[in-house]
């Protein structure tokens, strides 16, 4: 994800969906070299194109989902939400790159090893850390609700939860438990924006021709997807967990609304989706 965000940040301002100045600092040395090559005038744009040829699919989907979630988070903050919880935050840099995030309470939840690497990198870069609380949680083993209740997160105020690029790596039990814990800890009016992959890609029941190689390659690098959902059943799945579906869109459709006005030919995939759910307010 950091490489794909670094590629996007290397584009000229007039044609990029966002700029993530920290993305390349999170990369290993070989990938940082690739990201630097993408910044070279004239020839640089060939680097992401080559990447897409070798690994078609993930980059446009990643870029579209990042922008869509940026827009959702900023809209929630504009509506008055004052706390944002990033679940499986990884190298998400929204707390630093989005000015809207500077005046809200931010909680980053992830496995402790990931947080150690991220905090060390941010310290080296002399980034402010005061507005962010790091909450170590393993969704497969730990109780998210207790972990959040042990912080200064306010259970009586609506929040924005972001769960980007994570559910597809978890078990069904962990996804279910995490959503139920979010519901239990969150005030009415809370929003949860999350990504998921179409379940048909896991069992082979739906073919996504634009993404065949992508699907094979995630398994090849030991990051096989383990969990997906059926868009047709998402509303009912969330309702069972006390959440109301507000919208659900493929990155292909979201990408079109972002890329086409910029005259970009990037094609995100139908298999990767973004949805937003809300904790209903009492009638
Ligand atoms: C593909 S990365 C996405 C990171 C970030 N949300 C983004 O979009 O850039 C997946 C993240 O989920 C975290 N993750 C995976 N399994 C987890 C688990 N069982 N508990 C907590 N975090 C987990 C990983 O550590 C990693 O940071």
């Amino acid at each position: 994800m950091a490489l794909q965000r670094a590629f996007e940040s290397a584009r000229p301002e007039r044609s990029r969906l966002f700029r993530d100045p920290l993305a390349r600092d999170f990369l290993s040395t070989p990938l940082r070299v690739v990201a630097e090559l993408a910044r070279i005038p004239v020839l640089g744009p060939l680097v992401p194109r080559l990447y897409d040829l070798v690994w078609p699919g993930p980059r446009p989907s990643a870029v579209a989902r990042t922008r869509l979630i940026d827009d959702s988070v900023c809209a929630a903050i504009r509506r008055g939400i004052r706390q944002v919880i990033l679940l499986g935050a990884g190298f998400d840099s929204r707390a630093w790159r989005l000015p809207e995030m500077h005046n809200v309470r931010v909680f980053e939840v992830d496995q402790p090893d990931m947080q150690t690497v991220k905090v060390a990198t941010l310290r080296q870069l002399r980034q402010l850390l005061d507005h962010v609380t790091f909450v170590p949680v393993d969704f497969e083993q730990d109780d998210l609700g207790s972990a959040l209740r042990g912080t200064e997160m306010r259970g009586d105020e609506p929040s924005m939860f972001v769960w980007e690029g994570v559910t597809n790596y978890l078990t069904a039990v962990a996804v279910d438990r995490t959503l139920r814990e979010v519901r239990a800890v969150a005030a009415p009016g809370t929003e949860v924006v999350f990504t998921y992959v179409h379940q048909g890609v896991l069992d082979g029941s739906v073919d996504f021709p634009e993404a065949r190689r992508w699907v094979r390659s995630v398994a090849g690098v030991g990051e096989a997807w383990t969990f997906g959902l059926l868009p047709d059943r998402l509303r009912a799945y969330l309702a069972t967990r006390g959440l109301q579906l507000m919208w659900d869109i493929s990155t292909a459709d979201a990408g079109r609304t972002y890329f086409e006005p910029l005259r970009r030919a990037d094609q995100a995939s139908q298999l990767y989706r973004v949805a937003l759910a809300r904790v209903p307010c009492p009638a």
Side-chain angles (χ1 to χ4, degrees):
M1 275 310 294
L3 178 62
Q4 289 149 3
R5 292 184 185 133
F7 282 156
E8 188 66 14
S9 308
R11 296 183 67 92
E13 189 175 354
R14 64 179 182 285
S15 77
R16 65 184 173 221
L17 301 193
F18 56 83
R19 178 170 172 265
D20 184 345
L22 297 178
R24 69 196 158 111
D25 293 301
F26 288 129
L27 295 171
S28 61
T29 306
L31 291 184
R32 198 175 300 171
V33 171
V34 176
E36 286 300 329
L37 290 174
R39 284 153 56 92
I40 294 173
V42 187
L43 289 181
L46 294 178
V47 177
R49 276 203 224 155
L50 195 61
Y51 175 94
D52 287 355
L53 276 179
V54 178
W55 207 3
R59 190 196 51 79
S61 290
V63 169
R65 93 185 195 207
T66 298
R67 172 60 187 271
L68 178 58
I69 294 174
D70 283 358
D71 288 351
S72 306
V73 170
C74 292
I77 295 173
R78 277 197 296 276
R79 277 197 303 277
I81 277 181
R82 287 281 157 266
Q83 45 191 8
V84 178
I85 298 106
L86 301 163
L87 301 175
F91 293 136
D92 183 322
S93 64
R94 290 191 175 90
W96 294 272
R97 69 181 169 81
L98 295 180
E100 287 83 350
M101 294 277 279
H102 296 168
N103 296 316
V104 299
R105 291 184 294 281
V106 183
F107 302 85
E108 290 209 352
V109 177
D110 209 312
Q111 301 180 95
D113 291 355
M114 170 53 97
Q115 294 188 322
T116 304
V117 174
K118 182 173 189 175
V119 169
T121 308
L122 290 166
R123 288 221 166 95
Q124 268 175 11
L125 297 171
R126 299 184 189 282
Q127 294 291 322
L128 287 180
L129 292 166
D130 296 354
H131 63 307
V132 182
T133 302
F134 291 89
V135 190
V137 169
D138 183 334
F139 300 125
E140 298 290 348
Q141 293 173 15
D142 301 330
D143 180 344
L144 173 68
S146 321
L148 287 175
R149 282 189 200 93
T151 70
E152 67 277 29
M153 182 196 147
R154 297 193 52 156
D156 58 349
E157 267 184 36
S159 313
M160 179 77 185
F161 282 83
V162 176
W163 206 10
E164 180 184 6
V166 188
T167 59
N168 44 312
Y169 296 116
L170 299 179
T171 58
V173 172
V175 174
D176 171 52
R177 194 176 48 226
T178 303
L179 287 172
R180 289 180 192 278
E181 286 175 11
V182 166
R183 176 67 184 85
V185 85
T190 290
E191 292 182 344
V192 188
V193 65
F194 64 98
T195 63
Y196 70 96
V197 295
H198 194 298
Q199 193 183 304
V201 82
L202 303 180
D203 55 23
S205 60
V206 185
D207 184 27
F208 296 92
E210 77 285 4
R212 278 181 200 139
R213 220 178 324 151
W214 178 11
V215 175
R216 278 201 305 271
S217 57
V218 281
V221 296
E223 291 196 357
W225 292 334
T226 47
F227 177 82
L229 287 161
L230 290 172
D232 288 355
R233 307 226 181 118
L234 182 61
R235 182 173 296 281
Y237 175 87
L238 291 168
T240 311
R241 287 146 185 93
L243 294 165
Q244 183 183 8
L245 178 64
M246 306 308 291
W247 51 257
D248 171 30
I249 188 170
S250 73
T251 52
D253 293 337
R256 257 191 294 282
T257 66
Y258 289 122
F259 294 129
E260 283 184 5
L262 300 174
R263 296 173 190 275
R264 287 177 56 173
D266 305 59
Q267 299 261 330
S269 174
Q270 290 289 347
L271 76 82
Y272 211 99
R273 303 183 67 88
V274 185
L276 188 136
R278 188 172 286 168
V279 176
C281 295

